[in-house]
């Protein structure tokens, strides 16, 4: 009995010794980080094999993250230049690659470690993909099964998305200005084609042209570019692709340049939507969600009256300029200038040189309506020529002040057009005219005089403009004062021109009238109109004042 047990133990020990080895089947590397859409390889390797003659196994993978591009036989079983048979079946829908490989002929297997197969994958989306070995069988040259351990692999995919961006990210333009924005692809890998829509504010912008740029044309490859501009809905639909069986492009570059025209003032938004990017295998590329919009600040043209504030004397001529600033392509303008006819009277309107600065002819129409307080103006370039850009004077208007007070000059019925008769968006300002009255005063204003003595009083006109004549009454206390003499001052005849002077003293009132004679201008400034000498009759406080 003991001999029987001993014999069986020896048999078991011999059997275990004969099968004491095992091989390791691994996917290498066991962990990998992927950051681009470029294909990458994973090896199926065997380690510590003894007499390995053939192998069969499946590799499973996550179809939402990666797909198989190619499967290649490794070199391990070809040791000694031996012929082999290699079979594979790729199923990218189910996420499985079935592989079988064997040496051919009555030859021994291979010992050691090496690569059985190489699988080329392509990333599709960001995530962690697991590669697993299933259904593994390793056979020796006697077709006995070799015990096998397996090691799976993890693929960490963090794809750097393509950034589709509008350049510049923000910009300031003038109303009616033509400008260009560029749609650029950043950090592209194997970019073969792209389609996207550009949404814009149709009330503020108009697209003139969409033109292909050179990024996808690298290496002189032909491309196809399609676009549809819809200025009513505010959309440009674009598609661009390389042609033929060529690889995509890698890097950063411009896809499309879009030329636009600013219509009205305000902030307009450009936004990219419906973005689809494909590589040369027609797989979709990830697109960054940021940098797909931009703001266009549209600044209005400025129509203004200069100066903004005018201090003027009664009866003074004042001139205001109608000026434009920050205009683009101005071809013609029409507007009304409103004023208070009780304080101002329009005298003359002259054309400025802004629209004719290049020597071309213009049409200039103007009407002064002093009854209703309106100046109607129209000015335009002639024939089919470009408009004028920049700053300058459209016209000048001369008014004569009347009375006293503050009046405002403002715009009405505004219309500024470019060569295509598109309206320019405008910002306007007003002008204020402050009319300062003439001062008629006594000098000195306070005087002490002894009883029976004379005192001299000048009547002074201050701040006058173009004074031709004056008439007024001076009232005084006749029981306290007696007017001795009234003489003309030198203000109205300062230029030695003849004058007429009249005075009449009657019971506490002196009536005075004076004028320049002939066809001459009036005088301006400050001066003495006349001088009155009084004699004090009684003690007390006497008052002088003007009437009429």
């Amino acid at each position: 009995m003991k001999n029987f047990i001993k014999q069986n133990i020896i048999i078991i020990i011999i059997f275990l010794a004969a099968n004491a080895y095992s091989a390791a089947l691994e996917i290498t590397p066991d962990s990998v980080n992927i950051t681009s859409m470029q294909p990458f390889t994973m090896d199926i390797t065997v380690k510590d094999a003894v007499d390995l003659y053939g192998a069969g196994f499946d590799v499973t993978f996550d179809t939402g993250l990666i797909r198989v591009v190619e499967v290649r036989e490794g070199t391990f079983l070809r040791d000694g230049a031996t012929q082999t048979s290699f079979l594979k079946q790729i199923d990218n829908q189910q996420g499985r690659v079935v592989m079988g490989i064997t040496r051919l002929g009555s030859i021994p297997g291979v010992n050691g470690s090496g690569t059985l197969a190489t699988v080329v994958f392509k990333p599709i989306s960001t995530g962690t993909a697991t590669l697993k070995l299933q259904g593994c069988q390793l056979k020796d040259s006697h077709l006995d099964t070799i015990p096998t351990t397996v090691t799976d692999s993890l693929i960490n995919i963090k794809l750097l998305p393509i950034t589709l961006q509008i350049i510049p990210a923000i910009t300031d333009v003038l109303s009616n200005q033509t400008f260009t924005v560029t749609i650029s692809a950043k950090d592209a890998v194997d970019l073969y084609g792209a389609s996207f829509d550009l949404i814009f504010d149709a009330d503020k912008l108009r697209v003139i042209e969409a033109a292909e740029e050179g990024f996808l044309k690298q290496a002189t490859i032909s491309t196809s570019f399609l676009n549809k501009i819809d200025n009513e809905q505010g959309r440009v639909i674009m598609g661009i692709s390389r042609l033929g069986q060529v690889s995509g492009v890698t890097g950063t570059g411009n896809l499309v340049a879009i030329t636009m025209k600013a219509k009205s003032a305000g902030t307009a938004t450009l936004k990219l939507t419906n973005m689809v990017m494909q590589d040369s295998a027609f797989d979709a590329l990830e697109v960054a969600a940021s940098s797909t919009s931009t703001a266009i600040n549209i600044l209005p043209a400025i129509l203004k009256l200069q100066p903004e504030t005018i201090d003027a004397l009664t009866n003074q001529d004042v001139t205001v300029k109608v000026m434009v600033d920050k205009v683009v392509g101005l071809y013609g303008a029409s507007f009304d200038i409103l004023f208070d006819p009780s304080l101002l009277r329009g005298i003359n309107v002259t054309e400025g040189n802004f629209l004719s600065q290049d020597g071309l002819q213009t049409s200039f129409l103007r009407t002064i309506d002093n009854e209703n307080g309106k100046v109607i103006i129209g000015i335009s370039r002639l024939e089919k020529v470009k408009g004028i850009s920049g700053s300058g004077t459209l016209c000048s208007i001369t008014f004569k002040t009347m009375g006293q007070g503050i009046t405002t000059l403002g715009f009405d019925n505004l219309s500024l057009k470019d060569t295509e008769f598109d309206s320019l968006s405008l910002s306007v300002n007003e002008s204020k005219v402050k009319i300062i009255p003439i001062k008629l005063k006594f000098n000195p204003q306070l005087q002490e005089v002894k009883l029976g003595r004379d005192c001299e009083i000048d009547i002074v006109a201050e701040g006058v403009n173009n004074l031709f004549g004056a008439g007024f009454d001076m009232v005084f206390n006749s029981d306290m004062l007696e007017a001795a003499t009234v003489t003309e001052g030198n203000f109205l005849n300062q230029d030695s021109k003849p004058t007429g002077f009249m005075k009449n003293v009657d019971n506490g009132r002196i009536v005075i009238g004076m004028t320049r004679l002939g066809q001459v201008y009036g005088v301006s400034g400050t001066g003495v109109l006349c001088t009155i000498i009084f004699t004090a009759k009684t003690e007390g406080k006497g008052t002088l004042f003007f009437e009429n």
Side-chain angles (χ1 to χ4, degrees), residues 296-369:
I296 308 295
N297 297 320
I298 305 172
L299 308 177
I302 298 173
L303 186 64
K304 58 186 178 180
L305 293 166
Q306 289 291 310
E308 293 184 9
T309 302
I310 302 173
D311 289 338
L313 302 173
T314 300
N315 202 42
Q316 181 179 339
D317 290 351
V318 295
T319 298
V320 294
K321 293 182 178 181
V322 180
M323 303 187 69
V324 288
D325 188 17
K326 298 180 180 179
V327 296
V328 176
L330 179 63
Y331 187 83
S334 62
F335 48 86
D336 299 347
I337 302 295
L338 305 182
F339 61 93
D340 185 346
S342 67
L343 296 176
L344 296 174
R345 180 167 59 87
I347 299 174
N348 190 33
V349 183
T350 57
E351 182 182 358
N353 65 352
F354 181 66
L355 287 183
S356 60
Q357 60 185 264
D358 55 0
L360 296 181
Q361 288 186 331
T362 58
S363 171
F364 182 62
L365 303 175
R366 67 278 195 192
T367 299
I368 299 175
D369 183 355

Side-chain angles (χ1 to χ4, degrees), residues 161-175:
I162 295 178
T163 300
L164 201 60
Q165 56 190 356
I166 304 173
I167 301 173
I170 186 168
T171 188
D172 293 339
V173 299
L174 300 176
S175 172

Side-chain angles (χ1 to χ4, degrees), residues 261-293:
K261 184 176 182 180
K263 294 167 58 177
S264 60
T267 300
T269 301
L270 304 180
K271 185 176 182 180
L272 291 170
T273 62
N274 300 329
M275 296 172 289
V276 177
M277 315 288 277
Q278 289 185 323
D279 63 15
S280 57
F282 302 104
D283 288 327
L285 302 173
E286 288 195 27
V287 181
S290 60
S291 303
T292 57
S293 64

Side-chain angles (χ1 to χ4, degrees), residues 303 305 322 333-339 367 373-378 397 409-415:
L303 186 64
L305 293 166
V322 180
S334 62
F335 48 86
D336 299 347
I337 302 295
L338 305 182
F339 61 93
T367 299
K374 181 186 298 186
V375 181
I376 303 170
I377 298 170
I397 307 171
L409 302 177
F411 290 99
D412 195 17
N413 299 324
L414 289 167
S415 179

